[in-house]
Amino acid sequence: GVIKGVGDFSAELQIGGRPAKLACDEFTSLPERRFRSGADIERDNMAKGNVIVESNDGIVFGHRLDQLDDERYLILAGDNSLARGSVSDQGREVSFSAGSVLYSAEQVALSDGPSINVPVDGYGLAGSSTTLMANKIVFDTSSQQWLATKDVVMAGAVTGSCQQLVLNPESVILTGGRSSEESLCKISTALEDSSRINLEGNIIEFVFGDSLVISDNVFVKRVSDATDWLRCDNFQATAMGGKAERQVSALIQQSEIACRSISWLHDDNGETFILNGAPSLNHPQAIVGGKLIEFCPNLSTITAHGDERNPATIKRADGQSAVGSLIKYNYHNQALEARSATFEDKP
């Protein structure tokens, strides 16, 4: 019952009940050695030298193959080399390399210096692919989900680091550690318009084509003609608008902003930002405060709303100041509208 083959050996195997093809230089199959499943005798298969395992889900190249049980095979790299291969992920080919590959019908688990190369075409990024490295990377063939754990590093179209990354057909979720600032998730990527976005936070969740959510120690920065950034504890954004909450500080279109929460909407006039919670806005041409502030950069307008406890205030760069229930300022044409206001001019 012992099968041995040497030189350009090939065979068809069953991995977890699913067919796979094997090619190698040397092959040995022993009966009744280690595995039994019910009344069926399982064979103990081993291979080495130019090992190739191919199935409908992908292909793996390595130096040695060991059968762990009736459903799992371990494929190892040779000395000073890596096992390599690819899997089909949503119809696209994701290539990988690792010191060891645990192959089954349900999973491809990569260990010992694993990395994968993920195409990112169609995501609006300047680059075409991202390389992902971690302590361990697992691909679930049924859910088409990637899980990378411990010391995750990204390079290429998207660069950054985190402690855990989950990539599935609908979204990508990055998780950091709470022990120190260095363990936060950090992402940097260039968009098709050549601007660059930097993101930081303990949890970053991006739902493809829908929304971006960041939690705990959030920092968002877009590097373009106007270098804008925002810090807060919770951040949510969609194509229609978004919201940032708790200890918000930001630089938006040359305006320094501080408040407890800020929300924004996209419409025909571009973005309109609404500041709540002791808001203040410091523009090069005016300092504005109140109970609520509306800021529309495309229209060059800042509108402050006030009440008895928190009146709307403005102090212009030319020295003029005003206090009232409503103040609307256009810093492009210097128009100033006010309601129930008092003015003071200073040289």
PDB file of all heavy atoms in Angstrom, residues 309-326:
ATOM      1  N   ARG A 309     -27.359  83.849  26.328  1.00  0.00           N
ATOM      2  CA  ARG A 309     -26.188  83.318  27.032  1.00  0.00           C
ATOM      3  C   ARG A 309     -24.972  83.231  26.112  1.00  0.00           C
ATOM      4  O   ARG A 309     -23.837  83.403  26.562  1.00  0.00           O
ATOM      5  CB  ARG A 309     -26.497  81.936  27.604  1.00  0.00           C
ATOM      6  CG  ARG A 309     -27.557  81.933  28.693  1.00  0.00           C
ATOM      7  CD  ARG A 309     -27.714  80.543  29.280  1.00  0.00           C
ATOM      8  NE  ARG A 309     -26.453  80.051  29.825  1.00  0.00           N
ATOM      9  CZ  ARG A 309     -26.300  78.810  30.301  1.00  0.00           C
ATOM     10  NH1 ARG A 309     -27.306  77.955  30.284  1.00  0.00           N
ATOM     11  NH2 ARG A 309     -25.131  78.447  30.788  1.00  0.00           N
ATOM     12  N   ASN A 310     -25.215  82.946  24.845  1.00  0.00           N
ATOM     13  CA  ASN A 310     -24.112  82.789  23.890  1.00  0.00           C
ATOM     14  C   ASN A 310     -24.395  83.637  22.649  1.00  0.00           C
ATOM     15  O   ASN A 310     -24.853  83.115  21.626  1.00  0.00           O
ATOM     16  CB  ASN A 310     -23.949  81.320  23.490  1.00  0.00           C
ATOM     17  CG  ASN A 310     -23.628  80.417  24.654  1.00  0.00           C
ATOM     18  OD1 ASN A 310     -22.518  80.407  25.169  1.00  0.00           O
ATOM     19  ND2 ASN A 310     -24.637  79.642  25.079  1.00  0.00           N
ATOM     20  N   PRO A 311     -24.185  84.955  22.716  1.00  0.00           N
ATOM     21  CA  PRO A 311     -24.468  85.816  21.570  1.00  0.00           C
ATOM     22  C   PRO A 311     -23.510  85.546  20.418  1.00  0.00           C
ATOM     23  O   PRO A 311     -22.390  85.052  20.616  1.00  0.00           O
ATOM     24  CB  PRO A 311     -24.271  87.225  22.132  1.00  0.00           C
ATOM     25  CG  PRO A 311     -23.307  87.039  23.264  1.00  0.00           C
ATOM     26  CD  PRO A 311     -23.634  85.702  23.866  1.00  0.00           C
ATOM     27  N   ALA A 312     -23.958  85.862  19.215  1.00  0.00           N
ATOM     28  CA  ALA A 312     -23.089  85.793  18.044  1.00  0.00           C
ATOM     29  C   ALA A 312     -22.104  86.953  18.095  1.00  0.00           C
ATOM     30  O   ALA A 312     -22.493  88.094  18.359  1.00  0.00           O
ATOM     31  CB  ALA A 312     -23.919  85.843  16.772  1.00  0.00           C
ATOM     32  N   THR A 313     -20.836  86.660  17.833  1.00  0.00           N
ATOM     33  CA  THR A 313     -19.805  87.706  17.893  1.00  0.00           C
ATOM     34  C   THR A 313     -18.907  87.616  16.672  1.00  0.00           C
ATOM     35  O   THR A 313     -18.711  86.538  16.095  1.00  0.00           O
ATOM     36  CB  THR A 313     -18.936  87.566  19.158  1.00  0.00           C
ATOM     37  OG1 THR A 313     -18.229  86.315  19.117  1.00  0.00           O
ATOM     38  CG2 THR A 313     -19.796  87.626  20.415  1.00  0.00           C
ATOM     39  N   ILE A 314     -18.359  88.766  16.299  1.00  0.00           N
ATOM     40  CA  ILE A 314     -17.370  88.811  15.229  1.00  0.00           C
ATOM     41  C   ILE A 314     -16.381  89.919  15.527  1.00  0.00           C
ATOM     42  O   ILE A 314     -16.740  90.976  16.031  1.00  0.00           O
ATOM     43  CB  ILE A 314     -18.027  89.032  13.849  1.00  0.00           C
ATOM     44  CG1 ILE A 314     -16.958  88.938  12.747  1.00  0.00           C
ATOM     45  CG2 ILE A 314     -18.777  90.358  13.786  1.00  0.00           C
ATOM     46  CD1 ILE A 314     -17.543  88.936  11.338  1.00  0.00           C
ATOM     47  N   LYS A 315     -15.126  89.647  15.236  1.00  0.00           N
ATOM     48  CA  LYS A 315     -14.086  90.661  15.307  1.00  0.00           C
ATOM     49  C   LYS A 315     -13.293  90.578  14.021  1.00  0.00           C
ATOM     50  O   LYS A 315     -12.585  89.605  13.773  1.00  0.00           O
ATOM     51  CB  LYS A 315     -13.174  90.440  16.515  1.00  0.00           C
ATOM     52  CG  LYS A 315     -12.128  91.528  16.660  1.00  0.00           C
ATOM     53  CD  LYS A 315     -11.291  91.347  17.917  1.00  0.00           C
ATOM     54  CE  LYS A 315     -10.270  92.470  18.045  1.00  0.00           C
ATOM     55  NZ  LYS A 315      -9.446  92.311  19.273  1.00  0.00           N
ATOM     56  N   ARG A 316     -13.443  91.618  13.182  1.00  0.00           N
ATOM     57  CA  ARG A 316     -12.784  91.616  11.883  1.00  0.00           C
ATOM     58  C   ARG A 316     -11.344  92.081  11.994  1.00  0.00           C
ATOM     59  O   ARG A 316     -10.952  92.741  12.954  1.00  0.00           O
ATOM     60  CB  ARG A 316     -13.566  92.500  10.915  1.00  0.00           C
ATOM     61  CG  ARG A 316     -14.970  91.959  10.631  1.00  0.00           C
ATOM     62  CD  ARG A 316     -15.842  92.942   9.910  1.00  0.00           C
ATOM     63  NE  ARG A 316     -15.261  93.387   8.638  1.00  0.00           N
ATOM     64  CZ  ARG A 316     -15.906  94.172   7.775  1.00  0.00           C
ATOM     65  NH1 ARG A 316     -17.136  94.603   8.068  1.00  0.00           N
ATOM     66  NH2 ARG A 316     -15.334  94.539   6.659  1.00  0.00           N
ATOM     67  N   ALA A 317     -10.567  91.727  10.982  1.00  0.00           N
ATOM     68  CA  ALA A 317      -9.153  92.083  10.990  1.00  0.00           C
ATOM     69  C   ALA A 317      -8.940  93.590  10.943  1.00  0.00           C
ATOM     70  O   ALA A 317      -7.900  94.089  11.396  1.00  0.00           O
ATOM     71  CB  ALA A 317      -8.448  91.412   9.805  1.00  0.00           C
ATOM     72  N   ASP A 318      -9.934  94.348  10.408  1.00  0.00           N
ATOM     73  CA  ASP A 318      -9.782  95.807  10.347  1.00  0.00           C
ATOM     74  C   ASP A 318     -10.113  96.479  11.673  1.00  0.00           C
ATOM     75  O   ASP A 318     -10.073  97.700  11.790  1.00  0.00           O
ATOM     76  CB  ASP A 318     -10.667  96.379   9.227  1.00  0.00           C
ATOM     77  CG  ASP A 318     -12.158  96.108   9.442  1.00  0.00           C
ATOM     78  OD1 ASP A 318     -12.524  95.601  10.521  1.00  0.00           O
ATOM     79  OD2 ASP A 318     -12.947  96.403   8.535  1.00  0.00           O
ATOM     80  N   GLY A 319     -10.479  95.669  12.696  1.00  0.00           N
ATOM     81  CA  GLY A 319     -10.751  96.230  14.011  1.00  0.00           C
ATOM     82  C   GLY A 319     -12.215  96.329  14.353  1.00  0.00           C
ATOM     83  O   GLY A 319     -12.577  96.509  15.515  1.00  0.00           O
ATOM     84  N   GLN A 320     -13.124  96.250  13.378  1.00  0.00           N
ATOM     85  CA  GLN A 320     -14.551  96.341  13.670  1.00  0.00           C
ATOM     86  C   GLN A 320     -15.041  95.065  14.344  1.00  0.00           C
ATOM     87  O   GLN A 320     -14.674  93.956  13.962  1.00  0.00           O
ATOM     88  CB  GLN A 320     -15.345  96.570  12.377  1.00  0.00           C
ATOM     89  CG  GLN A 320     -16.838  96.766  12.620  1.00  0.00           C
ATOM     90  CD  GLN A 320     -17.622  96.857  11.332  1.00  0.00           C
ATOM     91  OE1 GLN A 320     -17.536  95.962  10.500  1.00  0.00           O
ATOM     92  NE2 GLN A 320     -18.363  97.952  11.167  1.00  0.00           N
ATOM     93  N   SER A 321     -15.886  95.204  15.356  1.00  0.00           N
ATOM     94  CA  SER A 321     -16.465  94.059  16.051  1.00  0.00           C
ATOM     95  C   SER A 321     -17.962  94.267  16.196  1.00  0.00           C
ATOM     96  O   SER A 321     -18.463  95.399  16.133  1.00  0.00           O
ATOM     97  CB  SER A 321     -15.819  93.866  17.425  1.00  0.00           C
ATOM     98  OG  SER A 321     -16.049  94.987  18.256  1.00  0.00           O
ATOM     99  N   ALA A 322     -18.693  93.162  16.389  1.00  0.00           N
ATOM    100  CA  ALA A 322     -20.144  93.246  16.544  1.00  0.00           C
ATOM    101  C   ALA A 322     -20.611  92.102  17.420  1.00  0.00           C
ATOM    102  O   ALA A 322     -19.999  91.020  17.455  1.00  0.00           O
ATOM    103  CB  ALA A 322     -20.835  93.184  15.183  1.00  0.00           C
ATOM    104  N   VAL A 323     -21.723  92.353  18.142  1.00  0.00           N
ATOM    105  CA  VAL A 323     -22.361  91.353  18.989  1.00  0.00           C
ATOM    106  C   VAL A 323     -23.850  91.392  18.700  1.00  0.00           C
ATOM    107  O   VAL A 323     -24.451  92.470  18.670  1.00  0.00           O
ATOM    108  CB  VAL A 323     -22.096  91.619  20.489  1.00  0.00           C
ATOM    109  CG1 VAL A 323     -22.827  90.588  21.345  1.00  0.00           C
ATOM    110  CG2 VAL A 323     -20.607  91.604  20.786  1.00  0.00           C
ATOM    111  N   GLY A 324     -24.482  90.214  18.469  1.00  0.00           N
ATOM    112  CA  GLY A 324     -25.904  90.212  18.165  1.00  0.00           C
ATOM    113  C   GLY A 324     -26.492  88.820  18.206  1.00  0.00           C
ATOM    114  O   GLY A 324     -25.841  87.850  18.618  1.00  0.00           O
ATOM    115  N   SER A 325     -27.745  88.703  17.760  1.00  0.00           N
ATOM    116  CA  SER A 325     -28.401  87.393  17.724  1.00  0.00           C
ATOM    117  C   SER A 325     -28.036  86.621  16.458  1.00  0.00           C
ATOM    118  O   SER A 325     -28.085  85.385  16.443  1.00  0.00           O
ATOM    119  CB  SER A 325     -29.921  87.556  17.810  1.00  0.00           C
ATOM    120  OG  SER A 325     -30.408  88.306  16.694  1.00  0.00           O
ATOM    121  N   LEU A 326     -27.668  87.338  15.391  1.00  0.00           N
ATOM    122  CA  LEU A 326     -27.233  86.695  14.146  1.00  0.00           C
ATOM    123  C   LEU A 326     -26.252  87.607  13.428  1.00  0.00           C
ATOM    124  O   LEU A 326     -26.517  88.806  13.285  1.00  0.00           O
ATOM    125  CB  LEU A 326     -28.416  86.381  13.238  1.00  0.00           C
ATOM    126  CG  LEU A 326     -28.085  85.654  11.927  1.00  0.00           C
ATOM    127  CD1 LEU A 326     -29.141  84.615  11.591  1.00  0.00           C
ATOM    128  CD2 LEU A 326     -27.911  86.639  10.765  1.00  0.00           C
TER     129      LEU A 326
END
